[in-house]
Amino acid sequence: MILRLDRVQAELPPPSDPDPVGAGAVQELMGGRFGEMSTFMNYTFQSFNFRNRAGARPFYELIANIAAEEFGHIELVAATIGTMLSGASPNGEKPKFKQGALGGLKGMPNPQQAIGGGLGALCQDSHGRPWTGDNVFSSGDLVEDLTHNFFLETGARNNKLKVYEMVDHPAARALTGYLLVRGGVHQIAYARALELLTGADLTKLFPSPRIPTDKIPESKKHMKNGEHLKLYRFSPDDYREIVALWKGPHPETGEELEVVDEAPEGFEPNDPPSQPAVFAPDYAPEEIAEIAQKLRKDAGL
Amino acid sequence: MILRLDRVQAELPPPSDPDPVGAGAVQELMGGRFGEMSTFMNYTFQSFNFRNRAGARPFYELIANIAAEEFGHIELVAATIGTMLSGASPNGEKPKFKQGALGGLKGMPNPQQAIGGGLGALCQDSHGRPWTGDNVFSSGDLVEDLTHNFFLETGARNNKLKVYEMVDHPAARALTGYLLVRGGVHQIAYARALELLTGADLTKLFPSPRIPTDKIPESKKHMKNGEHLKLYRFSPDDYREIVALWKGPHPETGEELEVVDEAPEGFEPNDPPSQPAVFAPDYAPEEIAEIAQKLRKDAGL
Amino acid sequence: MILRLDRVQAELPPPSDPDPVGAGAVQELMGGRFGEMSTFMNYTFQSFNFRNRAGARPFYELIANIAAEEFGHIELVAATIGTMLSGASPNGEKPKFKQGALGGLKGMPNPQQAIGGGLGALCQDSHGRPWTGDNVFSSGDLVEDLTHNFFLETGARNNKLKVYEMVDHPAARALTGYLLVRGGVHQIAYARALELLTGADLTKLFPSPRIPTDKIPESKKHMKNGEHLKLYRFSPDDYREIVALWKGPHPETGEELEVVDEAPEGFEPNDPPSQPAVFAPDYAPEEIAEIAQKLRKDAGL
Amino acid sequence: MILRLDRVQAELPPPSDPDPVGAGAVQELMGGRFGEMSTFMNYTFQSFNFRNRAGARPFYELIANIAAEEFGHIELVAATIGTMLSGASPNGEKPKFKQGALGGLKGMPNPQQAIGGGLGALCQDSHGRPWTGDNVFSSGDLVEDLTHNFFLETGARNNKLKVYEMVDHPAARALTGYLLVRGGVHQIAYARALELLTGADLTKLFPSPRIPTDKIPESKKHMKNGEHLKLYRFSPDDYREIVALWKGPHPETGEELEVVDEAPEGFEPNDPPSQPAVFAPDYAPEEIAEIAQKLRKDAGL
Amino acid sequence: MILRLDRVQAELPPPSDPDPVGAGAVQELMGGRFGEMSTFMNYTFQSFNFRNRAGARPFYELIANIAAEEFGHIELVAATIGTMLSGASPNGEKPKFKQGALGGLKGMPNPQQAIGGGLGALCQDSHGRPWTGDNVFSSGDLVEDLTHNFFLETGARNNKLKVYEMVDHPAARALTGYLLVRGGVHQIAYARALELLTGADLTKLFPSPRIPTDKIPESKKHMKNGEHLKLYRFSPDDYREIVALWKGPHPETGEELEVVDEAPEGFEPNDPPSQPAVFAPDYAPEEIAEIAQKLRKDAGL
Amino acid sequence: MILRLDRVQAELPPPSDPDPVGAGAVQELMGGRFGEMSTFMNYTFQSFNFRNRAGARPFYELIANIAAEEFGHIELVAATIGTMLSGASPNGEKPKFKQGALGGLKGMPNPQQAIGGGLGALCQDSHGRPWTGDNVFSSGDLVEDLTHNFFLETGARNNKLKVYEMVDHPAARALTGYLLVRGGVHQIAYARALELLTGADLTKLFPSPRIPTDKIPESKKHMKNGEHLKLYRFSPDDYREIVALWKGPHPETGEELEVVDEAPEGFEPNDPPSQPAVFAPDYAPEEIAEIAQKLRKDAGL
């Protein structure tokens, strides 16, 4: 079971200039083979399928706990896309049909982002193909699953960097700067687990790809806060045994890894503005607001 | 963000006679168009993409809160499949290769459940096709999304009943009996939201399909506990405005709907036993246990 | 069985300025989840699979008859796309290879529209993904199928409007203006059937999405002709029982719904001009014409 | 546009012993690459996309007219599947949930035929994969499209024969026996068109594959009626120019090909019986019948 | 088994102006239904599956031998794409992250070519969809497989010409000019095999599509060398029986077809330059070179 | 370019008892995510896309050379499947249609293996889904590609073992016993390359999964020949620099790795017998043989 918090892990700038083409590229981080849906679902299924948890508890808990953090990452990617698409069609007034409120979006890479979705995130990659369960690897063999996860995070870092370099919208940069740091934590976590399980020394594989994360301004700010060293515990009472694995020096900086015994405080999410031109949340948002207000009042809120 | 609890929403029987064919059918409830991955991901994306939350907060919170419950459902389906596959290959001893430890699974409907997965749940439907992001509908238009969700829960109840009738393994029955009740709650929730938003009266569409849930023994037990009337709040502090929508009489029984202001207590999950024949979690689970024990000790656990 | 008429349901303007990008967006109405292939095939399969037709004949006939109209809609969408692509490569002369007759199409959203197809419609959506049988829902349960169909037409209206607003080519506007009206008829038909079967009152769900169809010039002209009120009978002798369901007031205008006891007269379709640059129908269309002329003569035509 | 007739092209036996496994194999003829959805949609799209119809009319009309016949083929395949699945779960009484009305279908090749569909045809192939628009070839180049169509019909005959040999249910045999004859007509039609257009002589490619159709009892009966020689005109008034192409000797028997200037009379379709166990058309079909009866009466029928 | 030669079949120009949009179109020739992956894999699987090779050896060898040439074609297409993408991001210096080294590629048709791949060829078509095994046809029936192959090469020629006309980058032109000639050889080879097996005369189907290959400058140069007449033997010792089928006059020019009893000499392939901005082969290629140099030295090279 | 040899890498037993269900499972090793199509195509595309080959030649050559060996593996898997399917329908006589020559295959896991294919290998996995280009990973970053390849071979060994244990047909056992040994060589090769490039020590990750290959009789025989130590050079003249990487001790046995400077001698492939019931290579194979004989004679063979 999960409990959900109405807060996001990182702060995103509010909507500014819309960037539908850039938003299309950011979709890779949502629904691509190495996107956040993949990390979230891989670790979630591996935790569901974990056999003999009693015998191998720290490993089970590490995977389950990272899965929980990954939910926060699909949330952040969606928020980024919504931010980048806000205002992509004229806002703040009713659609006037003949003028073609969406004319400006003709030719956008994935027209479904406007035709099918209300200028929101899709469960697709940067090329409009849906995320698929084929992206989940869960062999049940612990060494093999950890090897996979290390590789997955490696590929994910590659993709995050590429999107960083391709899209300069401030929301995209804030997102990728943050994810590069947190994805790095997960990459190290799986390498550490492999090392502690087999005795192999993977330290020299880092950084992989060879990204100097501390040279990226939007990442550096999180490193200053030690975000590259912390593994948060995303549970009220469980997953306490992750301390058995997340420890020792950071393979790139040598600083000591640390478990934080609670979730990060997070931030109030942006409330993405209405887009009446795509009927989100309606042709006339103010009427929905009125109805909601009455329902609230009736309920004593 | 989410916090994860190491507990499941419903009690499942422990592994007994394995049923790989039945487990294959239960996969429909995981990765089929109307499976729990679909309900979980539809509501999750709709909540991510919700615009003008301030204006329509009770609706936003209803969707976000139900999304959180659905995570518990994919967890339950996975646990059921793992239970039904435990023992499907000889257990408790090392594989002796020549004998062909998996011979008994030759001809199972989806051989990938053994070849690719370690006798665990796959992110696929009953026919071995992966769940896909194409199953997510998130138009941004609130009336349309709610209409979709009502339809989705209707189709989901259909599928749950069919699996109930096809598979008589006790774990499958416990699962479907429970999900029929909780899925019914979500179906009503979306109908109520539609009614309160538009003024239409959908009461007479229930039950749809016309399943007499109270005639199903594995469901009746949950109805006795009032599980068909309760909407749990799956958040430490948020989603308090769902009370503005979840109220009034149950469309089939006339009893009063009620919000429970916390998550259900849940149950300790089964710990699925090792399956060395498929190397889950390893060829020699006891060695992993030994390593884990040492790591725990080093960490002072 | 069907009989085919060489006429189309609505009048389209002749080819003018080509619009390959717009044609790509119109493909959503052909092969998207909510496109006309979906409506055509959903109702067709539901009619094929209908059990106990004798017992529920008006419902069977309603679905079968609407399926027949939908064929006319895929035909119209294809004609629109062909119109919008005519002239997209230089016409009226043989290709001169070195110059690159298709250079102007480099970078079009879906290059396959030129590379694989002869500037014609594809069985794909706006993002180049093929229509798939997964889009067909046919549960056999009448209430459930009607609920689905109501939802499908709702989503289809959403997509039609979005394409209307995105693409201002006169053929696209003529198409979407017409389909919005006829799709509305089908949406009401399924709602009416549900109401008459269950007693629920869905009137207040209209319009959904909240499109003021009568404000759209290309739709208004068809409403003036009462096209929003008429259900045509698309059969020489069958489907006479649809009158049992298509009656009562239009949920938005209050006008009386009416069955027209024959197919609409329709219009002579445009004959899309040769495009020798893509070898359609050949590198040298005039030679085919000559051969055809001789064959006709031989056959006494 | 089309008009639809409530009649089928060939007579099928009524439901007898159900054969779910056989029905799964027959699905290949519906939704496989060489199934009837493919022939129907290939010729339909080619007719929609045909450029310069005036210049090449007999060719346009041949393709459009055969497309119309193919609708009757998907209809027949669906009717066959429905027939083979009738009675696959206990019929004639209400489902008694605990007993598991669908237990007998556990392990059927495609469980979705029962879980998702109401014992009806799916838009899928014999392996549960959906038919897809990728199966449509429409290049616009007439020689190339005709070459494709000849190849498509060749492959289709192969598949029909294989299903004939694999499944001995009487409905499957009636279907395949008929389709082998009619598919042969279309194969010849495209070869003739190619010959008349280019001057090549394809006669010696027949039969391909080398099936002695007249040795197959279920085919022989149709050959006795000359069904292998007749091209029906499926239109009230159009497609009269097919006589310019469909003429000359049958490449295998030497008999004269003939155009029949109307659709075949056809047969009253079977009315597939209710299957309450899968809620088709409902849990209680008699209640629907009662409602329908009242609606009919109200409408003066 | 195969032996691989580090040489390519045709000479390509070195990287010049990058053309990412054109490279996207060229992908159709790699991973499209009629691309080189399809020809390579169709003939490869047909040769693997060929039954009674002893009885029909010349036919088996023809297919196996052409399969071997097709490997050289996927190699050439990949080399062309790599050439066209070289320099698409700034080269010759380390990435400076903040500047966004890939900004210039935002909006390219398939962003995955940069995000997922290192400016290299993908196993996809021009619309970013992966090549799939569904493109392989291998019925085992020799007449049918040859008919298919003739059709496949026909469609492939169509696509090659369209790409030629759409993309004027010199590498794309060199590629398509060459492939049109060699694809024509394979098309004739399958027609000849069909003729010799059945007695049908397909000569008049040529050219299909009606491309005057000798009018295309980049093709003419290869025709001058007789490349349209030669079938190379791609094996040290096998496939000598192809001479039984590849003989007689060229159907368009009347010149005599000839078997060349060895592989073509080929050309040294271009060595595509490092692209540090996408980390190909690394962030710091010179360090890899240094390591490689040392390893070479250690190995006495 | 490649040269093809009409020899296979390992000896397979001749057809004996057919095993269509087992053949279905073996398909996973052809077209599954970790099957031989995946290893072949991953390394092939990585070699095509390799940038700065001059600088990193030993790495380029290692990948290109292993790719060449993998062709021999898809060949072996296909030969195994053909062997296991031979005789699955009555052989040695003409089909007698009414009896249904394929009746014995009704209910086989993937009916397309008989319906679409002539009892041959498909380009699909064990669940009838086609191999897809999505299985190719080619990032251009050398460390990342090598990490991927190590993981891919790890997963491939898992799958091979599972098929070994599930299917006891002698051809399947001969195949998997051989592939486990050769796949192990490739897994080590990529680990060595990573070690030499980064300095990390991966030795302790072996064996992964923990398969005691020397306990498997069908593998042991190849290990006795030293097949687990040898890297063959699959090229007449190229790829000589692989000696810079393939050296040092075997991580499990400590024996010295060795490069063999030519391809293995291999074995004469089985000639799979005609299956007239599926028209492979024809309804009357003896007639094809007669034609072929005449053509051979005409060609002086």
Side-chain angles (χ1 to χ4, degrees), chain A residues 2 16 22 48 103 108 113 146 161 173-174 176 182 232 235 238 242 246 268 282 294:
Chain A
I2 60 170
S16 51
F48 288 168
M108 71 190 289
Q113 218 145 11
L146 292 172
L161 179 71
R173 288 277 164 100
T176 47
R182 294 304 302 165
Y232 296 96
S235 180
D238 301 309
I242 55 178
W246 184 255
E268 182 86 8
D282 189 60
K294 187 176 169 312

Side-chain angles (χ1 to χ4, degrees), chain F residues 134-191:
Chain F
D134 283 342
N135 290 323
V136 173
F137 181 84
S138 172
S139 73
D141 178 306
L142 184 54
V143 175
E144 208 175 324
D145 284 0
L146 292 172
T147 303
H148 167 269
N149 296 354
F150 171 74
F151 165 64
L152 179 64
E153 293 287 350
T154 303
R157 277 172 70 73
N158 176 326
N159 284 199
K160 286 161 189 166
L161 178 72
K162 302 273 185 68
V163 173
Y164 179 93
E165 294 204 84
M166 188 180 277
V167 186
D168 62 3
H169 188 284
R173 286 278 165 100
L175 173 79
T176 46
Y178 180 74
L179 291 180
L180 276 165
V181 174
R182 294 304 302 164
V185 165
H186 298 169
Q187 188 187 26
I188 295 167
Y190 291 121

Side-chain angles (χ1 to χ4, degrees), chain B residues 157 160 175-186 188 213 216 218-223 226-229 250:
Chain B
R157 279 173 68 74
K160 285 161 190 166
L175 174 79
T176 46
Y178 179 74
L179 291 180
L180 277 165
V181 174
R182 294 304 302 164
V185 164
H186 299 169
I188 295 167
T213 316
I216 297 177
E218 291 83 355
S219 299
K220 193 159 43 177
K221 126 185 165 191
H222 297 294
M223 293 181 73
E227 290 288 335
H228 59 305
L229 304 172
H250 188 286

Side-chain angles (χ1 to χ4, degrees), chain D residues 5-6 8 16 29 40 55-56 65 73 83 93 109 116 174 176 181-182 198 220 228 248 252 270 283 298 300:
Chain D
L5 315 176
D6 216 22
V8 292
S16 52
L29 305 185
F40 176 40
N65 186 65
H73 292 184
T83 298
E93 47 172 339
T176 47
V181 174
R182 295 303 303 164
T198 66
K220 192 157 47 175
H228 59 306
E252 295 169 48
N270 291 328
Y283 170 76
D298 292 354

Side-chain angles (χ1 to χ4, degrees), chain C residues 59-290:
Chain C
F59 296 96
Y60 165 67
E61 296 199 345
L62 184 80
I63 293 170
N65 186 67
I66 294 179
E69 175 164 2
E70 300 291 5
F71 182 93
H73 292 183
I74 60 170
E75 185 178 37
L76 264 187
V77 176
T80 302
I81 292 169
T83 297
M84 295 169 78
L85 291 171
S86 290
S89 63
N91 194 7
E93 48 172 341
K94 295 222 176 326
K96 294 162 194 151
F97 300 99
K98 192 62 188 177
Q99 291 83 340
L102 302 181
L105 293 172
K106 194 171 128 180
M108 72 189 290
N110 183 351
Q112 292 179 334
Q113 218 145 13
I115 297 177
L119 296 179
L122 302 172
C123 192
Q124 296 184 347
D125 67 13
S126 66
H127 211 46
R129 291 199 294 139
W131 184 85
T132 142
D134 283 342
N135 289 324
V136 173
F137 181 84
S138 172
S139 73
D141 179 305
L142 185 53
V143 174
E144 207 174 324
D145 284 359
L146 292 171
T147 304
H148 166 268
N149 297 353
F150 171 75
F151 165 65
L152 179 64
E153 294 286 352
T154 303
R157 279 173 69 73
N158 175 325
N159 284 198
K160 285 161 190 166
L161 179 71
K162 300 275 186 66
V163 172
Y164 179 94
E165 295 203 85
M166 188 180 279
V167 186
D168 64 2
H169 188 283
R173 287 279 163 98
L175 173 79
T176 46
Y178 179 74
L179 291 181
L180 277 164
V181 174
R182 294 306 301 165
V185 165
H186 298 168
Q187 186 187 28
I188 295 167
Y190 292 121
R192 287 295 292 150
L194 257 182
E195 290 178 343
L196 291 168
L197 190 57
T198 65
D201 180 359
L202 308 180
T203 309
K204 294 210 175 143
L205 288 176
F206 286 87
S208 171
R210 276 184 58 184
I211 307 168
T213 316
D214 57 357
K215 298 260 173 62
I216 298 177
E218 290 85 354
S219 299
K220 193 158 44 175
K221 121 183 167 192
H222 297 294
M223 293 182 73
K224 272 195 188 147
N225 295 337
E227 290 288 336
H228 60 305
L229 303 173
K230 296 173 186 168
L231 193 64
Y232 296 98
R233 200 168 57 74
F234 281 91
S235 180
D237 293 307
D238 302 308
Y239 312 132
R240 296 191 185 280
E241 299 207 2
I242 55 177
V243 293
L245 300 175
W246 185 256
K247 58 184 184 185
H250 188 285
E252 295 170 50
T253 70
E255 297 161 285
E256 191 67 18
L257 306 172
E258 71 175 298
V259 167
V260 178
D261 205 39
E262 60 188 355
E265 197 194 338
F267 299 84
E268 181 87 10
N270 291 329
D271 185 357
S274 300
Q275 303 286 311
V278 290
F279 287 24
D282 189 60
Y283 170 77
E286 65 282 6
E287 293 179 23
I288 290 191
E290 205 176 305

Side-chain angles (χ1 to χ4, degrees), chain E residues 51-70:
Chain E
R51 291 182 170 278
N52 192 18
R53 297 171 191 182
R57 183 155 296 278
F59 296 96
Y60 164 67
E61 295 198 346
L62 184 80
I63 292 170
N65 186 67
I66 294 180
E69 175 163 2
E70 299 291 4

Side-chain angles (χ1 to χ4, degrees), chain D residues 222-240:
Chain D
H222 297 295
M223 292 180 73
K224 273 194 188 148
N225 295 337
E227 290 288 335
H228 59 306
L229 304 171
K230 295 173 187 166
L231 192 64
Y232 297 97
R233 199 169 58 74
F234 282 90
S235 179
D237 293 307
D238 301 308
Y239 311 132
R240 297 192 184 279

Side-chain angles (χ1 to χ4, degrees), chain D residues 167-205:
Chain D
V167 185
D168 64 3
H169 189 283
R173 287 278 164 99
L175 174 80
T176 47
Y178 179 74
L179 291 180
L180 276 165
V181 174
R182 295 303 303 164
V185 165
H186 298 169
Q187 187 187 28
I188 296 166
Y190 292 121
R192 289 294 292 150
L194 258 183
E195 291 177 343
L196 293 168
L197 189 58
T198 66
D201 180 0
L202 308 180
T203 310
K204 294 209 174 144
L205 288 176

